[in-house]
C-alpha cells in the first residue's frame, strides 16, 4: 500500500489546555511563551514514540542481570527550529531531547505574496542517512515555509520518513502540499484548523506566533 501523510493530534489534556491559552488574544507574551514551551515539550514527547532510536542492553541491578533499553547514543538526533516562531517550541523539545544537535533555519514569508525566503541556514552540508530530525514551527499555513525546510533537509540526505514535524496549528493547504510530495512524513500538531485567510493567517488560529512570542 502506498504511504500516506500521517497527522497526529494527541488527545492530551495538557496539550488542549496550552493550545487554548495560546489561542486566547488576551494571553500576554510571557504566558504565550510558556504555552509554546509546554506544547513543544508534550508534542515532542508524543513524537518520540517509535521515532527515537533505542538499543537493547543488559544492566546489572543490585540483585541480578536484567535486560533493558536505552536511547541509542550512536544514531544522531537533530532539532531544526524554523525561525522565528519555531524557537518558541525549542526549549520544551530540548527537555525531551537533551542530546539533540540544534540547526537553525531562518525563513520569512513575504507579507504580500506569502512566498517563503531563507535568511539563515545553519544546516550541515550532509546529514548521516539515519539521522532523526524534528522540525519545530507552530504554524503550518500555506505550507510554503515547511516545503522549503523539507527540501533543504532532504537534499542534504535526510530521509523524509525519519522526520517529525512538531507544530501547534496546522491548516489544510499546508497538509495537502506536504502530502503530495512527502507521503512518508509524520506530523504532530495540537490542532488542525479550518482555513487560511487572504492575509495568510490560519483561522481561528492564534494570530502571529512569532510576534506574540517576541512581543513585536
Ligand atoms: C510564520 C510561521 C511559519 C510560517 C507559516 O512565520 O511561523 O513559519 O509563517 O506560513 P506558511 O505555511 O504559509 O509558509 P513568519 O514568516 O511570519 O516569520 P516569523 O516566524 O519570523 O514571525
Amino acid at each position: 500500500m502506498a504511504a500516506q501523510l500521517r497527522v497526529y493530534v494527541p488527545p492530551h489534556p495538557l496539550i488542549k489546555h496550552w493550545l487554548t491559552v495560546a489561542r486566547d488574544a488576551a494571553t500576554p507574551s510571557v504566558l504565550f511563551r510558556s504555552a509554546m514551551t509546554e506544547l513543544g515539550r508534550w508534542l515532542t514527547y508524543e513524537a518520540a514514540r517509535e521515532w527515537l532510536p533505542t538499543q537493547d542492553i543488559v544492566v546489572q541491578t543490585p540483585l541480578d542481570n536484567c535486560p533493558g533499553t536505552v536511547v541509542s547514543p550512536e544514531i544522531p538526533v537533530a532539532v531544526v527550529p524554523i525561525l522565528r516562531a519555531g524557537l518558541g517550541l525549542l526549549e520544551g523539545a530540548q527537555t525531551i531531547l537533551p542530546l539533540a544537535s540544534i540547526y537553525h533555519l531562518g525563513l520569512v514569508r513575504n507579507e504580500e505574496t506569502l512566498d517563503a525566503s531563507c535568511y539563515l541556514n545553519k544546516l550541515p552540508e550532509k546529514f548521516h542517512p539515519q539521522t532523526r530530525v524534528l522540525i519545530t514551527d507552530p504554524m503550518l499555513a500555506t505550507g510554503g515555509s515547511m516545503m522549503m525546510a523539507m527540501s533543504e533537509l532532504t537534499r542534504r540526505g535526510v530521509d523524509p520518513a525519519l522526520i517529525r514535524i512538531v507544530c501547534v496549528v496546522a491548516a489544510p493547504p499546508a497538509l495537502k502540499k506536504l502530502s503530495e510530495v512527502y507521503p512518508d512524513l509524520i506530523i504532530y500538531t495540537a490542532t488542525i484548523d479550518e482555513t487560511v485567510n487572504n492575509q495568510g493567517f490560519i483561522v481561528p488560529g492564534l494570530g502571529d506566533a512569532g510576534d506574540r512570542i517576541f512581543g513585536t
Side-chain angles (χ1 to χ4, degrees), residues 54-131:
T54 57
Q55 79 185 38
D56 293 333
I57 59 164
V58 173
V59 280
Q60 175 82 53
T61 78
L63 300 174
D64 202 353
N65 285 335
C66 176
T69 302
V70 291
V71 175
S72 169
E74 272 143 40
I75 298 181
V77 177
V79 179
V80 176
I82 311 293
L83 275 49
R84 290 173 306 162
L87 288 175
L89 300 171
L90 178 62
E91 194 185 320
Q94 278 186 296
T95 64
I96 304 294
L97 306 171
L99 299 181
S101 304
I102 314 300
Y103 300 107
H104 296 81
L105 194 57
L107 305 181
V108 67
R109 287 193 312 181
N110 178 301
E111 282 178 13
E112 266 130 48
T113 64
L114 301 181
D115 291 333
S117 60
C118 181
Y119 58 86
L120 178 81
N121 185 337
K122 299 295 282 182
L123 299 177
E125 249 170 53
K126 206 83 197 148
F127 282 91
H128 182 291
Q130 284 299 311
T131 308

Side-chain angles (χ1 to χ4, degrees), residues 141-161:
T142 67
S145 306
M146 194 52 75
M147 288 294 285
M148 184 173 273
M150 286 295 299
S151 145
E152 293 298 333
L153 287 165
T154 51
R155 64 199 270 216
R156 288 170 169 78
V158 179
D159 177 354

Side-chain angles (χ1 to χ4, degrees), residues 3-207:
Q4 212 184 349
L5 178 88
R6 277 173 281 169
V7 184
Y8 291 109
V9 182
H12 195 293
L14 289 172
I15 293 175
K16 291 178 188 169
H17 173 86
W18 289 113
L19 168 67
T20 305
V21 170
R23 280 199 195 276
D24 188 343
T27 295
S29 212
V30 61
L31 188 57
F32 189 87
R33 284 197 293 278
S34 296
M36 290 295 123
T37 299
E38 293 306 318
L39 288 164
R41 186 195 321 277
W42 302 120
L43 288 164
T44 301
Y45 169 81
E46 294 285 347
R49 280 174 211 275
E50 291 154 34
W51 172 76
L52 199 56
T54 57
Q55 79 185 38
D56 293 333
I57 59 164
V58 173
V59 280
Q60 175 82 53
T61 78
L63 300 174
D64 202 353
N65 285 335
C66 176
T69 302
V70 291
V71 175
S72 169
E74 272 143 40
I75 298 181
V77 177
V79 179
V80 176
I82 311 293
L83 275 49
R84 290 173 306 162
L87 288 175
L89 300 171
L90 178 62
E91 194 185 320
Q94 278 186 296
T95 64
I96 304 294
L97 306 171
L99 299 181
S101 304
I102 314 300
Y103 300 107
H104 296 81
L105 194 57
L107 305 181
V108 67
R109 287 193 312 181
N110 178 301
E111 282 178 13
E112 266 130 48
T113 64
L114 301 181
D115 291 333
S117 60
C118 181
Y119 58 86
L120 178 81
N121 185 337
K122 299 295 282 182
L123 299 177
E125 249 170 53
K126 206 83 197 148
F127 282 91
H128 182 291
Q130 284 299 311
T131 308
R132 273 44 171 185
V133 178
L134 185 108
I135 308 175
T136 65
D137 189 340
M139 319 296 289
L140 296 183
T142 67
S145 306
M146 194 52 75
M147 288 294 285
M148 184 173 273
M150 286 295 299
S151 145
E152 293 298 333
L153 287 165
T154 51
R155 64 199 270 216
R156 288 170 169 78
V158 179
D159 177 354
L162 299 181
I163 295 177
R164 297 292 181 271
I165 291 174
V166 160
C167 75
V168 175
V169 185
L175 298 179
K176 183 167 182 291
K177 219 175 263 177
L178 288 163
S179 72
E180 283 165 1
V181 185
Y182 303 106
D184 287 342
L185 188 59
I186 301 183
I187 298 174
Y188 284 78
T189 183
T191 185
I192 300 174
D193 271 9
E194 274 154 45
T195 184
V196 176
N197 71 13
N198 291 341
Q199 285 89 49
F201 281 102
I202 300 172
V203 182
L206 44 77

